[in-house]
Amino acid sequence: DQQVKQNSPSLSVQEGRISILNCDYTNSMFDYFLWYKKYPAEGPTFLISISSIKDKNEDGRFTVFLNKSAKHLSLHIVPSQPGDSAVYFCAASAGNRDDKIIFGKGTRLHILP
Amino acid sequence: GAGVSQSPSNKVTEKGKDVELRCDPISGHTALYWYRQSLGQGLEFLIYFQGNSAPDKSGLPSDRFSAERTGGSVSTLTIQRTQQEDSAVYLCASSLSRGGGNEQFFGPGTRLTVL
């Protein structure tokens, strides 16, 4: 029973173009969403988050969009750079109700030269 | 140190042996989490500690798995009588406190291989 789903195991994007990583969730109690980035042989690092009271959060080249009615969020990276090649994990939690953060399986992003 | 550290970075063991994995969280972080990532899978929650509260062990896959956190700092994850399906990367994370609004900082992980 996966509560956080990343249905694309991998994605290839040309350098300079926009990368869009998608994530769906099933638990309507989730109210806080995070994206983590992971390089090989390293632990995940926090990238960007969004609270359910917002539908968009932007930080430099990274923007996260949240569609609560569709239980869907996406991470946009523009322009994509070679250093963005990594595995991206979507994660969600129900805030103070249940602080366990549930992770998706990840999407491997390849930025092509 | 500045970040979360884990040791060893790699561990190869024989089926049936016990292993101990160590995590040093960021100083001052009251919450500590253990996850594991098996091949092709996401991050599977195992256990977390928050201050002096009883740990949430709901993610431990079997009674062969246990964890301690001494003095509210260092944590040890112990796997007894290891099985081949225990092979995975074990990740530790810490955060300032519990709650979804507190980002977790991850260590580099321990890659466990059970032969």
Side-chain angles (χ1 to χ4, degrees):
Chain A
D1 178 26
Q2 266 197 288
Q3 297 187 61
V4 178
K5 301 177 184 178
Q6 293 177 257
N7 293 320
S8 298
S10 66
L11 176 69
S12 294
V13 175
Q14 206 75 36
E15 181 179 355
R17 299 287 184 98
I18 182 171
S19 296
I20 301 176
L21 298 119
N22 292 302
C23 178
D24 298 290
Y25 61 96
T26 58
N27 189 340
S28 59
M29 300 302 289
F30 286 150
D31 58 6
Y32 194 73
F33 305 88
L34 311 93
W35 284 94
Y36 282 79
K37 176 179 179 180
K38 185 180 185 301
Y39 292 120
E42 295 182 10
T45 56
F46 171 74
L47 195 56
I48 192 169
S49 63
I50 188 167
S51 164
S52 60
I53 62 174
K54 296 185 176 181
D55 55 17
K56 176 183 175 181
N57 188 26
E58 189 173 354
D59 183 2
R61 296 186 297 111
F62 302 91
T63 303
V64 56
F65 295 92
L66 175 62
N67 182 334
K68 290 186 289 293
S69 61
K71 294 191 179 67
H72 177 84
L73 64 154
S74 60
L75 174 68
H76 292 211
I77 306 172
V78 55
S80 300
Q81 298 176 354
D84 296 331
S85 294
V87 176
Y88 290 79
F89 289 99
C90 172
S93 77
N96 289 327
R97 289 174 181 269
D98 175 2
D99 59 334
K100 287 193 292 288
I101 296 180
I102 308 298
F103 286 83
K105 291 190 175 184
T107 296
R108 184 177 297 278
L109 177 64
H110 300 271
I111 303 303
L112 306 171
Chain B
V4 177
S5 60
Q6 292 185 245
S7 61
S9 55
N10 279 285
K11 177 71 178 179
V12 180
T13 190
E14 293 179 348
K15 178 182 173 181
K17 302 281 190 181
D18 298 351
V19 295
E20 282 189 354
L21 312 179
R22 177 188 167 104
C23 172
D24 284 89
I26 293 173
S27 177
H29 280 191
T30 59
L32 185 148
Y33 308 77
W34 282 98
Y35 295 88
R36 74 175 174 182
Q37 185 181 16
S38 304
L39 191 64
Q41 301 298 311
L43 297 174
E44 177 188 3
F45 166 79
L46 297 177
I47 186 172
Y48 84 77
F49 300 87
Q50 170 56 36
N52 295 322
S53 302
D56 179 343
K57 304 179 182 181
S58 60
L60 294 178
S62 77
D63 59 8
R64 297 186 295 105
F65 288 72
S66 63
E68 290 184 342
R69 189 178 185 191
T70 55
S73 181
V74 172
S75 177
T76 302
L77 176 69
T78 302
I79 309 173
Q80 295 178 309
R81 305 180 304 281
T82 52
Q83 304 294 312
Q84 288 183 331
E85 61 263 28
D86 299 335
S87 296
V89 176
Y90 288 81
L91 290 156
C92 174
S94 69
S95 66
L96 276 171
S97 66
R98 63 189 293 169
N102 290 289
E103 292 82 21
Q104 297 174 333
F105 294 82
F106 282 83
T110 294
R111 180 175 296 277
L112 174 66
T113 303
V114 182
L115 301 176

